[in-house]
């Protein structure tokens, strides 16, 4: 394959003033758009979308979640979502009854596939959770689901002459 660059693009790289305004955009963190749907306890702000920069195929922004806040069960239709944890501790539950769980901390990424029922939770009782959110389309799709979540099962120990209660070995 040749390194030449002679095929038609439908645009010009040289002398086109349009690139000054339609090229790369920097969206300052203190100028995000808070006019987006939010959940109680969660503050979402758009950085990249069609209205702000003309993005055709994705949405990006931030979400700040107060301590102990959580969403209801929902999914985002055909959209893929990526969550990057900046600060705090995120807990995700997913599945037909939210029976699966995983946690993520600063520097971790979370991928949510299309149509997966899930719930976002701030796992900290006293620290704010700050995340960056990216979705695979500019449209806001959030479909609430009325499901009965499976809560964390109670731990029941098997105790018999062979299997001792671990608390018993702690006693002096």
């Amino acid at each position: 394959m040749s390194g030449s660059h002679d095929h038609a693009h439908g645009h010009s790289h040289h002398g086109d003033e349009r690139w000054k305004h339609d090229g790369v955009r920097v969206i300052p963190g203190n100028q995000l758009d808070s006019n987006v749907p939010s959940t109680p306890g969660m503050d979402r702000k758009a950085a990249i979308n069609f209205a702000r920069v003309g993005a055709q195929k994705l949405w990006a922004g931030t979400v700040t979640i107060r301590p102990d806040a959580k969403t209801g069960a929902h999914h985002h239709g055909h959209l893929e979502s990526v969550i990057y944890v900046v600060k705090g501790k995120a807990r995700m539950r997913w599945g037909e009854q939210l029976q699966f769980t995983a946690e993520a901390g600063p520097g971790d990424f979370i991928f949510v596939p299309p149509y997966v029922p899930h719930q976002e939770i701030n796992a900290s009782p006293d620290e704010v959770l700050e995340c960056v959110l990216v979705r695979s389309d500019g449209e806001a799709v959030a479909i609430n689901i009325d499901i009965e979540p499976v809560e964390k099962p109670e731990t029941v120990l098997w105790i018999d002459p062979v299997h001792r209660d671990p608390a018993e070995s702690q006693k002096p």
Side-chain angles (χ1 to χ4, degrees):
M1 180 161 215
S2 156
S4 70
H5 192 79
D6 59 358
H7 57 280
H9 287 288
H11 62 262
S12 168
H13 290 289
H14 306 289
D16 188 344
E17 293 293 311
R18 181 173 73 97
W19 287 106
K20 287 183 183 178
H21 304 288
D22 293 342
V24 172
R25 299 281 187 73
V26 174
I27 310 303
N30 64 355
Q31 295 178 18
L32 304 185
D33 182 5
S34 61
N35 189 23
V36 295
S38 286
T39 305
M42 300 188 183
D43 179 28
R44 290 185 184 89
K45 294 182 180 175
I48 308 297
N49 61 16
F50 181 77
R52 300 210 65 201
V53 300
Q56 302 283 324
K57 298 178 182 176
L58 57 85
W59 183 98
T62 61
V63 61
T64 302
I65 305 172
R66 69 171 165 75
D68 275 335
K70 62 184 175 182
T71 66
H74 65 283
H75 69 76
H76 298 287
H78 67 281
L79 304 182
E80 294 179 320
S81 298
V82 174
I83 302 166
Y84 174 76
V85 180
V86 176
K87 177 184 176 189
K89 186 176 184 182
R91 179 176 300 131
M92 296 292 290
R93 293 181 67 180
W94 71 95
E96 293 299 322
Q97 293 185 296
L98 304 178
Q99 68 268 37
F100 304 107
T101 187
E103 292 187 351
D108 293 339
F109 287 84
I110 301 166
F111 173 66
V112 182
Y115 300 102
V116 171
H118 64 281
Q119 176 184 45
E120 295 107 354
I121 302 166
N122 182 342
S124 172
D126 51 16
E127 185 179 11
V128 168
L129 173 61
E130 296 177 6
C131 300
V132 173
L133 174 61
V134 179
R135 293 221 174 96
S136 62
D137 198 328
E139 65 181 300
V141 176
I143 297 149
N144 292 318
I145 309 168
D146 186 19
I147 59 176
E148 190 64 37
V150 170
E151 295 302 326
K152 187 173 181 176
E154 179 182 345
T155 301
V156 178
L157 299 174
W158 182 274
I159 299 172
D160 62 21
V162 175
H163 303 92
R164 301 287 181 186
D165 183 343
E168 292 296 319
S169 62
Q170 303 290 332
K171 294 180 182 176

